[in-house]
Amino acid sequence: MSIPRVIDFRCRPPMAAQKLLFDLKLGRLEHTNKFICPPAMATSPSMFKVGEKEGLDLLFKEMDEAGIDQIVVPGRNIANPPKAVLQKTDTDKINVTDQELIQLRHDFDNRSIGLHGINAEQPIEKAVAEIEVAVRDHNLAGAVLEIGYSKAPDGGPLSADNRILYPIYETIVKLDVLLMIQSGIYAGHDIGANNWPPLDRVMQDFPEMKLVLAHGGYPRVLDAIALAVKHQNFYLSPDIYCFFPGGRLYVEAISQLPDQFLFGTAYPFGPLKLSVDMALEFPLSEEMMEKYMSGNAARLLDI
């Protein structure tokens, strides 16, 4: 099988604001009870240079070594990440701005594609205006919404189908860009944030919206796959969770939904080259592998 073009749909470079992720990744290696998952347990040189220019230079080199053409980098604009994420982090800066994404695109020779981070707790008119500026003025490819870290106006958990968010969805459809929704075991203050019936209702109301479920909806794997069956504009990027317990369900589903899965490394949780090499071992035809590794992403990003 020839080696296809590769687009990494979820990569968080070693910028200062990403330190909490690298602390979480490297802290996992110190656990007495080991988690036998090769990507999760492996490291690369760039992971030890967070906040340094050398770290970005090393990541750029690791992209070439892994055969990765482009990376998709989500912005972040949240106030209250869960304690599990912050427990080893001593930095106050956790957000990634549009300006940082623009600079990264320049530093990475246009091989970095940014997504605007939505602050869902600010007035919705301001959130919408910021998305429009990010896409129209700064040429970002869409936006990312981390619902599990956000509160509803009444102070309770924010659900994806809360009507207060509908102007955001309307804007995403109007601009014809993608919306990434965060999922996974650290996607909220507990794993209950991974509740996908609300996304089903959203997709029924906005069937034209291009929605990507980052980390594939884990641990609610079957629910997430069912939504991809039901909604043709619903995409899954399970990245490192393909190798977590139960993750083989994603691999099996790629051959049945070849147009709706997107490759990702979840770097720093998975090193670039190892993640690519392990994905290339999936039992997929050459056509399906090309779609998974880059074709679907290129179509979704219109590149």
Side-chain angles (χ1 to χ4, degrees):
M1 178 183 296
S2 60
I3 304 300
R5 173 189 182 191
V6 180
I7 298 175
D8 179 356
F9 219 86
R10 190 167 179 84
C11 179
R12 279 72 57 90
M15 306 154 68
Q18 306 281 25
K19 184 177 184 297
L20 76 169
L21 300 174
F22 289 80
D23 288 347
L24 186 63
K25 156 74 180 189
L26 299 177
R28 176 86 222 188
L29 306 181
E30 301 173 0
H31 287 199
T32 301
N33 294 329
K34 298 301 180 187
F35 177 38
I36 310 303
C37 174
M41 298 302 294
T43 62
S44 62
S46 60
M47 295 181 189
F48 299 93
K49 299 291 182 179
V50 181
E52 301 178 27
K53 182 180 182 300
E54 184 181 359
L56 294 177
D57 292 342
L58 285 169
L59 182 67
F60 194 78
K61 180 181 178 182
E62 290 166 11
M63 285 174 61
D64 287 337
E65 292 171 346
I68 293 175
D69 294 83
Q70 292 169 294
I71 56 174
V72 176
V73 182
R76 167 164 278 174
N77 196 349
I78 59 174
N80 302 295
K83 294 178 182 178
V85 173
L86 286 179
Q87 59 187 355
K88 284 181 167 285
T89 299
D90 57 5
T91 180
D92 293 326
K93 188 178 186 307
I94 60 174
N95 291 326
V96 178
T97 67
D98 289 355
Q99 289 67 35
E100 288 171 308
L101 295 173
I102 294 165
Q103 183 62 47
L104 187 69
R105 181 171 62 204
H106 176 269
D107 294 343
F108 274 35
D109 294 338
N110 290 316
R111 292 172 63 185
S112 171
I113 299 169
L115 299 177
H116 167 76
I118 299 172
N119 177 355
E121 295 188 24
Q122 65 183 338
I124 202 65
E125 297 83 3
K126 188 172 188 295
V128 165
E130 289 179 350
I131 295 170
E132 292 178 336
V133 169
V135 173
R136 290 175 172 163
D137 296 350
H138 300 318
N139 200 29
L140 298 187
V144 56
L145 179 60
E146 303 190 68
I147 295 174
Y149 298 151
S150 304
K151 295 179 181 178
D154 62 4
L158 182 65
S159 177
D161 63 342
N162 190 311
R163 292 281 170 167
I164 196 172
L165 296 175
Y166 273 39
I168 289 176
Y169 305 143
E170 292 166 358
T171 302
I172 293 293
V173 172
K174 178 182 68 175
L175 294 172
D176 192 25
V177 292
L178 69 91
L179 178 66
M180 177 182 284
I181 298 286
Q182 169 80 319
S183 70
I185 59 176
Y186 298 111
H189 295 281
D190 56 54
I191 61 173
N194 299 286
N195 179 33
W196 306 131
L199 279 188
D200 188 6
R201 293 188 283 273
V202 168
M203 291 304 295
Q204 290 180 64
D205 288 339
F206 297 92
E208 296 179 359
M209 182 167 63
K210 294 176 285 192
L211 192 148
V212 176
L213 193 53
H215 298 320
Y218 192 91
R220 299 287 292 273
V221 180
L222 284 176
D223 281 2
I225 292 173
L227 286 185
V229 174
K230 187 173 182 178
H231 303 289
Q232 66 175 340
N233 286 318
F234 190 89
Y235 295 79
L236 297 177
S237 182
D239 48 67
I240 196 172
Y241 286 105
C242 287
F243 309 104
F244 272 49
R248 296 300 298 180
L249 291 172
Y250 292 124
V251 180
E252 294 171 8
I254 294 172
S255 61
Q256 295 179 287
L257 294 162
D259 298 313
Q260 289 171 260
F261 274 84
L262 306 162
F263 167 76
T265 64
Y267 175 95
F269 296 113
L272 302 188
K273 190 174 189 310
L274 179 60
S275 299
V276 170
D277 290 347
M278 293 185 70
L280 290 174
E281 294 178 2
F282 290 168
L284 300 173
S285 69
E286 188 166 340
E287 180 183 3
M288 289 177 178
M289 184 67 75
E290 186 279 331
K291 288 184 176 183
Y292 175 58
M293 299 302 289
S294 65
N296 294 336
R299 172 169 49 85
L300 187 58
L301 294 164
D302 193 25
I303 55 175

